[in-house]
């Protein structure tokens, strides 16, 4: 594995900056991969700059972000493993469904078209954006209390507050509106080709205490792939919330992903 240098593209979700993947990048590089974590379209290079310029990412939609990452992947020397969290997980699924990428890992992936469960906790976690229709064309920031509910509910108050301070940025609200309306829109941008048989393997990862993408949503996502003969698997982390890629237990998740990739020869 140390000699393969397989590219890995990390895709973050809403309200986190691309640099939140830094520990994963170091960990995957040590395991012999060639990882990168590009930001979303127009995303400033640092957390501080992103907070100073929330307008930079306003009105970015799912397809905008997906096309952005597809373009980045097209410039790589080899098909990468794509690892996404939250809306980054949905984008990972879309890319794999388009035949882009060698394998995909969707961690707490935002719900795709066809997924019906909508738990109350998920509705509450989305309210900072969805609560005001005018936010469709805006970027939205979370308060520390909102971050605590949506991301840090399985953590101590202190750890949640530290993660909020370190990684949170304003994010476009449009993807949340698109996902929320997906089952009522014919050509929804949240639609994924779940039937494709010639794609790479896909791992869905769920935290059973997640409020933003509850475990039942991820399990329902898995069922959407039932007609595909391609490898699609689910790994659940008991008692973990939406922060599982950035909190003190991130290495357990990263090691599980590395182990799964090795199992599938990637």
């Amino acid at each position: 594995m140390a000699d393969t240098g397989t590219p890995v593209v990390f895709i973050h979700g809403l309200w986190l900056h691309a640099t939140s993947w830094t520990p994963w990048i170091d960990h995957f590089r040590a395991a012999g991969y060639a990882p990168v974590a590009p930001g979303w379209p127009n995303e400033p290079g640092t957390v501080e700059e992103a907070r100073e310029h929330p307008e930079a990412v306003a009105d970015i939609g799912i397809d905008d972000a997906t096309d952005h990452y597809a373009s980045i992947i097209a410039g790589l020397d080899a098909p990468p493993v794509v690892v996404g969290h939250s809306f980054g997980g949905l984008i990972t699924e879309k890319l794999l469904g388009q035949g882009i990428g060698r394998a995909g890992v969707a961690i707490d992936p935002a719900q795709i078209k066809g997924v019906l469960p909508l738990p109350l906790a998920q509705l509450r976690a989305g309210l900072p954006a969805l609560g005001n229709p005018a936010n469709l064309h805006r970027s939205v920031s979370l308060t520390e209390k909102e971050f605590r509910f949506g991301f840090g509910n399985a953590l101590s108050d202190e750890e949640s507050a530290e993660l909020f301070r370190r990684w949170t940025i304003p994010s476009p609200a449009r993807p949340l509106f698109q996902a929320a309306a997906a089952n009522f829109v014919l050509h929804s941008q949240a639609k994924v080709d779940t039937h494709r048989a010639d794609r790479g393997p896909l791992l869905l990862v769920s935290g059973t205490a997640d409020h933003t993408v509850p475990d039942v949503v991820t399990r329902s996502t898995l069922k959407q792939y039932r007609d595909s003969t391609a490898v699609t698997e689910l790994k659940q982390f008991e008692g973990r919330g939406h922060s599982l890629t950035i909190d003190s237990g991130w290495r357990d998740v990263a090691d599980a992903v590395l182990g799964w990739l090795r199992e599938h020869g990637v």
Side-chain angles (χ1 to χ4, degrees), residues 174-222:
R174 179 176 283 275
L176 279 165
F177 283 91
Q178 291 173 324
N183 292 325
F184 308 99
V185 176
L186 182 60
H187 300 293
S188 170
Q189 293 188 21
K191 181 176 175 56
V192 169
D193 183 353
T194 57
H195 301 282
R196 189 172 188 132
D198 62 346
R199 61 164 171 81
L202 172 65
L203 175 65
L204 303 174
V205 176
S206 174
T208 63
D210 194 332
H211 282 169
T212 298
V213 184
D215 181 60
V216 65
V217 172
T218 307
R219 286 187 278 114
S220 181
T221 299
L222 177 65

Side-chain angles (χ1 to χ4, degrees), residues 142-164:
L142 295 181
T143 66
E144 185 174 329
K145 182 178 180 181
E146 290 165 344
F147 180 86
R148 178 81 167 98
F149 180 83
F151 282 76
N153 59 290
L155 308 176
S156 67
D157 289 340
E158 293 76 16
E159 184 175 6
S160 180
E162 172 60 19
L163 294 176
F164 173 81

Side-chain angles (χ1 to χ4, degrees), residues 53-69:
H53 299 283
E55 74 284 353
V57 296
D59 218 20
I60 298 294
I62 293 172
D63 280 354
D64 297 321
T66 303
D67 292 345
H68 170 73
Y69 284 103

